[in-house]
Amino acid sequence: MERGGDDEWSAWLDYDGDDGPSLPEGSSVDPEQPSVEEGSGDPEEQTQKNTRGRSKRNDITKMVSEGKKMEIEYNHYGQHWGTGGTAKVTRIGAWVRTNIPLRDITWPKVSQDLKNQLWEHIKVAFDVPDTDKRMTIAKGGDRWKDWKSTLTEGIFTFKDVAPHLLEKPPKLYEKIINLQEWREFVDSRLSPEFGVKRKRAQESRACNLYPHRTGRGGVRMIQEQMEKEFGHQITEFDRSEIWKRSRTKSNGEVEGPTAEVVKR
């Protein structure tokens, strides 16, 4: 088995799950953790390089210290969006990675106390109504699941070509992932039981002929972009246009079966 391509290595070693996530106040994480750069192609011959690391979003930290809160915009569906919405999702992702133990369990089994702490953390920094609690906690589950999926992808990328990289957590997370928890997580992902589950999920995914490419923003981000283009809020979106945009690559290309549908 050959090692993964540049994108796979970058996603594992320099992984920054959000676009510039913030870190909770008081976090001991060093935002300038070095990452590993490819050397001659031999997994054993890696060199260190300094990277920007994750953004601490000092603007939000400063607002909190001054007793201020960032405002959140909502569309007519009750979904948050815009700069405040993006910052909120970023902060949620940073909090769950730092405070929710890395375990092989599902989000419903995470204690309600931790979920309530997440909500209180968000209320301190953002001007949100109490009705937003359920959505905030659900988004926390999404970000936690996405993070574990990214780590799992890295585990399977390197388990044969560079198993030494799995002895410790990824460089960027060495200070927030407990070593014992990490090893237990790796073992759980490499277990026969998880192998069966993973294969079943891969087979199901292979049946999806028209995968979306919206990233973490989802359809909501596409709708926001369309409203910016039109200069006003849209009450009823063209579903065919949403479908097309959600499956178009960032360079404007559509591939495979999707291209055939778009031509119709």
Side-chain angles (χ1 to χ4, degrees):
M1 176 180 175
E2 297 181 358
R3 73 174 177 81
D6 293 346
D7 289 343
E8 290 180 289
W9 282 72
S10 177
W12 176 249
L13 300 170
D14 296 332
Y15 174 65
D16 196 349
D18 297 316
D19 297 328
S22 58
L23 294 176
E25 293 82 14
S27 172
S28 62
V29 179
D30 179 2
E32 297 299 331
Q33 279 288 320
S35 62
V36 178
E37 183 178 28
E38 292 182 48
S40 62
D42 184 344
E44 296 293 340
E45 297 180 10
Q46 302 294 326
T47 58
Q48 296 288 336
K49 68 175 181 179
N50 290 322
T51 61
R52 175 186 63 81
R54 290 183 288 168
S55 170
K56 293 184 291 184
R57 287 305 301 265
N58 291 327
D59 56 330
I60 299 179
T61 301
K62 182 179 179 181
M63 288 180 62
V64 172
S65 67
E66 296 174 348
K68 301 177 182 178
K69 297 183 179 182
M70 180 174 286
E71 294 185 359
I72 302 290
E73 293 182 73
Y74 294 86
N75 61 17
H76 56 279
Y77 294 114
Q79 301 168 316
H80 52 65
W81 64 350
T83 303
T86 300
K88 178 189 171 188
V89 173
T90 288
R91 201 164 182 83
I92 289 173
W95 193 92
V96 297
R97 287 192 298 271
T98 306
N99 295 277
I100 306 294
L102 184 63
R103 295 172 180 165
D104 186 27
I105 60 174
T106 58
W107 183 249
K109 293 185 178 180
V110 172
S111 74
Q112 188 60 45
D113 179 60
L114 283 172
K115 295 173 181 176
N116 289 337
Q117 288 181 40
L118 166 61
W119 172 238
E120 293 301 322
H121 175 74
I122 292 301
K123 286 201 302 181
V124 169
F126 299 91
D127 186 11
V128 291
D130 290 339
T131 53
D132 197 47
K133 179 177 180 178
R134 182 176 180 180
M135 183 184 298
T136 297
I137 292 177
K139 180 58 67 175
D142 291 340
R143 302 308 300 146
W144 192 58
K145 179 181 178 181
D146 290 344
W147 183 44
K148 292 199 298 179
S149 294
T150 297
L151 295 177
T152 299
E153 181 180 354
I155 290 171
F156 279 91
T157 296
F158 300 119
K159 69 183 183 68
D160 294 322
V161 297
H164 65 283
L165 292 178
L166 304 183
E167 295 174 0
K168 297 189 298 182
K171 282 286 185 179
L172 198 57
Y173 295 107
E174 283 184 322
K175 293 188 177 181
I176 64 174
I177 298 180
N178 175 275
L179 181 58
Q180 183 60 33
E181 286 183 358
W182 168 251
R183 290 175 175 172
E184 291 177 357
F185 182 73
V186 172
D187 289 342
S188 71
R189 281 340 197 210
L190 297 180
S191 68
E193 294 78 12
F194 185 80
V196 173
K197 180 179 178 181
R198 183 169 183 263
K199 182 178 180 180
R200 186 163 56 244
Q202 289 175 326
E203 292 173 346
S204 176
R205 183 175 181 179
C207 295
N208 182 7
L209 299 179
Y210 314 108
H212 71 80
R213 302 177 181 278
T214 57
R216 71 166 181 160
V219 172
R220 178 185 60 80
M221 192 65 70
I222 293 177
Q223 293 173 337
E224 180 179 351
Q225 292 171 348
M226 291 177 67
E227 292 192 325
K228 286 182 178 179
E229 292 173 8
F230 285 97
H232 60 79
Q233 195 169 75
I234 301 174
T235 57
E236 186 173 350
F237 290 90
D238 183 336
R239 294 178 62 185
S240 63
E241 182 65 18
I242 292 288
W243 191 93
K244 175 183 175 181
R245 292 192 183 211
S246 66
R247 288 160 178 79
T248 300
K249 299 173 65 175
S250 58
N251 61 6
E253 297 180 355
V254 288
E255 300 177 334
T258 301
E260 296 300 321
V261 176
V262 171
K263 292 178 182 178
R264 296 175 187 173

